[in-house]
Amino acid sequence: MAKEMKDDTTKSSQKEKHLLQKLHCSVKNYDWGLPGRVSEVARLARLNSGSQLDPEKPYAELWMGTHDSGPSFLGSNKGGEKLTLKKWLSQNPDLLGEKVLQKWGCDLPFLFKVLSVAKALSIQAHPDKELARTLHKLLPDLYKDGNHKPEMTLAMTEFEALCGFVTLKELKALLHTVPEVAELIGAENADLVLRASDQDDEGEVKAVFQAAFTHLMSANKEIVTEEVNSLKFRLHDESKVRQLTDKEKLALQLEKQYPADVGVIAAFFLNHVKLAAGEALFLGPNEPHAYLSGDCVECMATSDNVVRAGLTPKHRDVQTLCSMLTYKQGSPEILRGVPLNPYVNRYTPPFEEFEIDLCILPQGETVVFPAVEGPSIFLVTTGKGMINIRVSQKGHEVTEGDVLFAAANTEISIISASKLHLYRAGVNSKVFQAS
């Protein structure tokens, strides 16, 4: 009898271990990251896996998921070869849930990240599925997978980005106030912009934007250097007699980070977006963007496909970028989430692979994440508490830096010992609501 009880306890413990698993996650030290002493990525990475940090080295991204370029490992796997989450899921596919397995196979369809941004990332866009497959086939060394990469950024601190094209009205004004823009798009394109109207066919206006932007991004390096320097000296002189606009101040900041880069001028074409903590931005395929500063969590389809064309020392694929963009104009929508209960806000993009929940739980309170039909990844950024799953009466302590994989169909309850901030990434709930 005692043996049977012990066997039941062991089975329950093993099942519980499968349903909720601590992860050790990979870090990326890209040069745009914040130095270790002030980087949220560095702080969380140290707490997550006990790694030693260099206070001056840039810590840019913490990757939580199954992507081969930055895998997560099972935290309970002591000694021997480290077991990746991806390999473990291939051995235990039922943990993903039936619908996820049918739709995406034996892998997570999303990749979850934390970013700490000290200086601008490249002006870039992510291809849609069709283009991703083509690029991967033609240039597999540059475009390492055939998947699309829609993504959503949720600000942890004040966060700034460039995203999408300004309106036609704003572009026309630029030609009068920023002569360097007019110079780099050429007289013929400048004339087309000035003659265009919002009453024109939408396709015609987009064609005008595409011609002007492509001419700018394809400009000769010597001409770009000349115009960026001209902009810098002009704005320094004018700042003595007038207040510079936010976009002009940004251009000077970008010039310091990337001298003589065409992206300094290209920034005038794009919306300058400022997010407060708790606000989010969704970036669909083929939309231009560049993160500028701050800390955020980010979720995306599992891919690493990026087409770059400015503000970067990396490979630039100007022709592909300029041909793939939607050239949609106007400010992007800022997402503020939908409250699920007093403590949890949900941010839902128009893509199936992912959603993000933000939970802020006061001390001594309890929150329940109901069982869902797909897997989740939880990240604790502040505070500590106890986490429990329905099959177990035994709670597990969680604290900042903890990252946990939760299997499909697992109810999670959390009680906070101090004010707790945590994020959950999971498959878009709409997938499971569909008949």
Side-chain angles (χ1 to χ4, degrees):
M1 184 74 172
K3 183 178 184 301
E4 286 175 8
M5 287 177 65
K6 186 177 179 183
D7 287 346
D8 288 344
T9 303
T10 302
K11 284 177 185 175
S12 174
S13 175
Q14 287 174 342
K15 184 179 181 185
E16 181 185 334
K17 223 169 145 185
H18 271 61
L19 297 179
L20 193 67
Q21 183 72 245
K22 277 195 177 182
L23 302 177
H24 290 164
C25 303
S26 295
V27 174
K28 301 292 184 180
N29 300 101
Y30 305 135
D31 67 352
W32 50 259
L34 281 161
R37 57 193 156 74
V38 291
S39 167
E40 180 70 355
V41 165
R43 185 183 77 87
L44 292 172
R46 178 180 59 79
L47 293 166
N48 175 256
S49 54
S51 51
Q52 292 297 309
L53 301 180
D54 182 335
E56 301 309 318
K57 187 175 181 178
Y59 288 80
E61 297 186 353
L62 181 72
W63 287 30
M64 299 166 282
T66 56
H67 199 286
D68 293 333
S69 297
S72 294
F73 300 89
L74 265 61
S76 62
N77 193 49
K78 303 291 184 188
E81 185 183 352
K82 291 196 289 185
L83 182 64
T84 65
L85 176 60
K86 185 172 184 175
K87 186 171 183 181
W88 184 64
L89 289 174
S90 73
Q91 296 167 354
N92 301 277
D94 56 307
L95 300 178
L96 293 166
E98 188 178 338
K99 282 194 178 179
V100 171
L101 271 173
Q102 286 175 354
K103 197 167 187 62
W104 290 289
C106 200
D107 198 2
L108 288 181
F110 62 86
L111 175 61
F112 198 24
K113 295 182 181 180
V114 181
L115 274 63
S116 290
V117 182
K119 68 175 187 176
L121 281 69
S122 54
I123 292 176
Q124 61 183 256
H126 307 298
D128 59 30
K129 279 188 177 179
E130 185 179 354
L131 179 58
R133 284 193 288 264
T134 301
L135 292 173
H136 178 56
K137 189 174 180 180
L138 292 174
L139 299 163
D141 290 340
L142 281 176
Y143 303 105
K144 297 182 186 298
D145 59 74
N147 199 14
H148 67 165
K149 193 188 173 189
E151 60 189 26
M152 186 164 58
T153 298
L154 173 54
M156 304 172 80
T157 62
E158 187 174 291
F159 193 83
E160 295 190 30
L162 293 169
C163 179
F165 286 97
V166 298
T167 62
L168 178 60
K169 181 181 177 181
E170 289 171 296
L171 183 56
K172 287 184 176 189
L174 282 174
L175 298 184
H176 297 298
T177 58
V178 189
E180 296 80 12
V181 169
E183 192 66 37
L184 280 176
I185 70 170
E188 186 178 333
N189 286 315
D191 187 52
L192 286 173
V193 169
L194 293 171
R195 285 196 283 114
S197 163
D198 287 326
Q199 277 68 55
D200 292 344
D201 178 78
E202 184 184 348
E204 291 176 7
V205 176
K206 287 185 176 182
V208 169
F209 267 77
Q210 181 168 357
F213 191 68
T214 302
H215 198 281
L216 165 76
M217 299 306 288
S218 309
N220 177 283
K221 177 68 177 169
E222 286 74 22
I223 296 171
V224 170
T225 301
E226 185 180 324
E227 293 304 322
V228 171
N229 286 336
S230 169
L231 174 77
K232 176 175 69 172
F233 295 131
R234 179 176 65 78
L235 291 182
H236 277 309
D237 286 344
E238 291 183 16
S239 69
K240 296 168 187 173
V241 294
R242 69 172 177 90
Q243 183 75 25
L244 297 182
T245 67
D246 280 357
K247 190 65 80 68
E248 288 171 334
K249 290 175 186 174
L250 174 61
L252 290 178
Q253 178 186 318
L254 294 175
E255 192 280 330
K256 280 185 181 175
Q257 295 173 1
Y258 299 95
D261 193 295
V262 69
V264 176
I265 308 288
F268 285 99
F269 271 75
L270 306 177
N271 299 294
H272 184 190
V273 181
K274 297 180 181 180
L275 301 178
E279 293 183 334
L281 192 61
F282 172 71
L283 302 160
N286 305 324
E287 293 294 345
H289 60 278
Y291 296 155
L292 301 174
S293 64
D295 296 302
C296 71
V297 294
E298 185 183 46
C299 202
M300 64 205 66
T302 302
S303 172
D304 200 25
N305 279 325
V306 183
V307 183
R308 302 178 181 87
L311 303 179
T312 181
K314 294 183 179 179
H315 175 79
R316 301 178 186 219
D317 193 344
V318 174
Q319 185 178 351
T320 299
L321 183 91
C322 292
S323 65
M324 71 190 267
L325 298 178
T326 65
Y327 294 96
K328 180 181 171 185
Q329 299 122 45
S331 297
E333 181 186 3
I334 305 299
L335 306 175
R336 293 178 176 86
V338 175
L340 301 183
N341 58 52
Y343 310 124
V344 179
N345 246 25
R346 173 161 293 171
Y347 302 79
T348 307
F351 277 84
E352 295 181 323
E353 285 89 347
F354 60 90
E355 66 188 13
I356 301 176
D357 292 340
L358 165 59
C359 175
I360 300 175
L361 192 62
Q363 183 175 358
E365 297 292 336
T366 300
V367 69
V368 174
F369 288 87
V372 292
E373 294 179 63
S376 302
I377 289 181
F378 288 85
L379 163 69
V380 181
T381 58
T382 305
K384 60 184 178 180
M386 297 295 288
I387 190 168
N388 205 344
I389 56 179
R390 173 157 283 198
V391 297
S392 169
Q393 299 305 310
K394 177 187 162 197
H396 299 270
E397 188 175 71
V398 288
T399 187
E400 47 200 63
D402 281 351
V403 178
L404 302 107
F405 169 85
N409 305 303
T410 305
E411 182 183 280
I412 302 286
S413 64
I414 301 169
I415 182 167
S416 56
S418 61
K419 187 176 182 180
L420 195 67
H421 284 229
L422 64 87
Y423 298 85
R424 171 195 160 269
V427 175
N428 194 319
S429 301
K430 292 176 181 175
V431 169
F432 310 121
Q433 294 162 5
S435 57

